[in-house]
Amino acid sequence: MKDHDAGNDHVAIDGPVSSGKTTNAQLLAAQTGHLYLDTGAMYRAVAFLALTNGVDLDNESGLVAMLGHHAIAIIPDPDTTPGYRVMIDGKNTGERLFDPDVAAAVSTVAALPAIRAELVARQRAIAAAGPVVMAGRDIGTVVLPDARFKFFLTASVDERARRRHAEFQMRGIDVSFEDVRAQIAERDRLDSTRTHSPLRAAPDAVTIDSTDMLPEDVVAKMRAVMEAARA
Ligand code: DC
């Protein structure tokens, strides 16, 4: 067993933008007592730092050097909507990491192998400390290939755009549904066609299409799969 297996009770949840990973992973972790980690937050933090430091999004060595100068911490916080706070250099980033400019930049930095290597090492170190529900794009395929439970969440592009647009509206961010839909389709394309760790379901993942499902039902389905495997 490798260090990051931690008794191998890990749950890997992968899927495209707004497929419900964050909501369902958070809910599942609250029910099972696992630590919840949204790895997308780490990539978003790098994109945010690149924008604020004026480092080009494809300047791989510059971005790695930049990371060495900043402390990124993800603190579980069930009282917030994503279920965690991202602290950069001790300051809470709040909802800033979910702004459209960060969303537009994140796929570019997430495609860089040196950035991925750095963040995957951090994710495995967290998993080595205890059982996690980890959400992302490459958790079941790369980060925790031996995770005991693997899920791949999907939903139609229209439904995912509707969810993301509603989130922006609630925050008073004025973007059209068409723009949100186009950005999601473009991020899907970038995330699935990149050379390093592209978004795809692990062969042993259980796929759940959440288009017409409530989060409670998605989580109930996940728990049923987990209980059946444990029986
Ligand atoms: O899940 P999210 O939308 O917050 O993820 C933000 C971006 O980070 C997304 O464009 C893909 C990338 N990402 C990744 O490449 N690998 C992960 N494990 C998690 C996110």
Side-chain angles (χ1 to χ4, degrees), residues 202-222:
D204 50 346
V206 174
T207 295
I208 301 177
D209 184 338
S210 75
T211 305
D212 297 314
M213 288 172 84
L214 293 171
E216 301 84 273
D217 301 329
V218 174
V219 170
K221 183 156 185 181
M222 288 176 169

Side-chain angles (χ1 to χ4, degrees), residues 38-69:
D38 176 9
T39 59
M42 293 178 158
Y43 291 92
R44 287 171 180 274
V46 177
F48 168 75
L49 281 170
L51 294 175
T52 48
N53 285 300
V55 180
D56 282 345
L57 297 175
D58 56 358
N59 176 355
E60 192 164 18
S61 56
L63 290 172
V64 172
M66 175 195 81
L67 277 185
H69 295 114

